[in-house]
Amino acid sequence: NNIIMSHFTHMKTSFQNLFYLKKALNKLNIEYKEQEKTINSENLSKTNLVISQSNGYDIEFVSNGQVYELVVDVSFWEQPYPIESFIDKVSKQYAGEVIIGESHKMGFQPVKYQQNVDGSNTVVLERWNQKF
């Protein structure tokens, strides 16, 4: 009888907004499904994002009330790049989505989005002054 111990790691992220997190995952072609969880007796629910892995040990983004934590069993990580790279990729894409989305609400349009050699991204936004 082999007993497999599962050790889930909760990795803090800066992802607060589910909408932008989903957009970032979509842009990176990372497939996920949404999972509603009821968290207390008042039937408050929250949405977690689940990334399936073929070994059955899924990767989850779980809301702790403030941010979405990445919950994963590191010994069963099956993605084509290390966890740190995964978080880094998602973080950069998420930041870009937040900047573009929030600035759009203030009337800005992205005119240029480029990935730099050092791995950083540059976003150029513009807004026309409204004269009435």
Side-chain angles (χ1 to χ4, degrees):
N1 249 6
N2 283 350
I3 296 172
I4 296 175
M5 294 294 285
S6 191
H7 298 284
F8 285 97
T9 304
H10 288 249
M11 303 177 91
K12 274 247 166 49
T13 71
S14 57
F15 311 138
Q16 298 175 315
N17 186 303
L18 183 65
F19 174 75
Y20 293 129
L21 179 55
K22 292 193 306 192
K23 278 190 89 157
L25 293 174
N26 288 337
K27 287 258 173 76
L28 293 168
N29 294 316
I30 297 169
E31 288 186 27
Y32 63 87
K33 55 185 186 288
E34 293 184 41
Q35 192 176 66
E36 288 288 326
K37 288 240 168 98
T38 305
I39 44 179
N40 61 21
S41 56
E42 286 114 52
N43 283 335
L44 281 174
S45 72
K46 62 181 181 179
T47 303
N48 295 335
L49 301 183
V50 180
I51 300 164
S52 296
Q53 297 196 116
S54 59
N55 61 13
Y57 292 88
D58 296 341
I59 300 164
E60 290 189 49
F61 282 104
V62 178
S63 173
N64 67 10
Q66 276 90 44
V67 296
Y68 280 84
E69 293 179 332
L70 182 65
V71 179
V72 62
D73 187 327
V74 289
S75 50
F76 293 100
W77 181 259
E78 230 185 29
Q79 299 304 303
Y81 28 70
I83 294 176
E84 293 73 21
S85 302
F86 174 80
I87 291 175
D88 194 46
K89 273 181 206 270
V90 176
S91 295
K92 282 182 184 155
Q93 191 66 49
Y94 175 86
E97 296 303 329
V98 170
I99 290 166
I100 291 168
E102 293 301 308
S103 60
H104 184 76
K105 292 176 188 174
M106 296 180 269
F108 286 92
Q109 294 294 324
V111 288
K112 190 169 130 194
Y113 190 91
Q114 81 180 32
Q115 196 154 22
N116 303 315
V117 184
D118 66 0
S120 65
N121 295 320
T122 301
V123 181
V124 178
L125 303 161
E126 72 178 14
R127 179 170 75 173
W128 296 96
N129 286 331
Q130 302 291 326
K131 292 192 173 133
F132 296 101

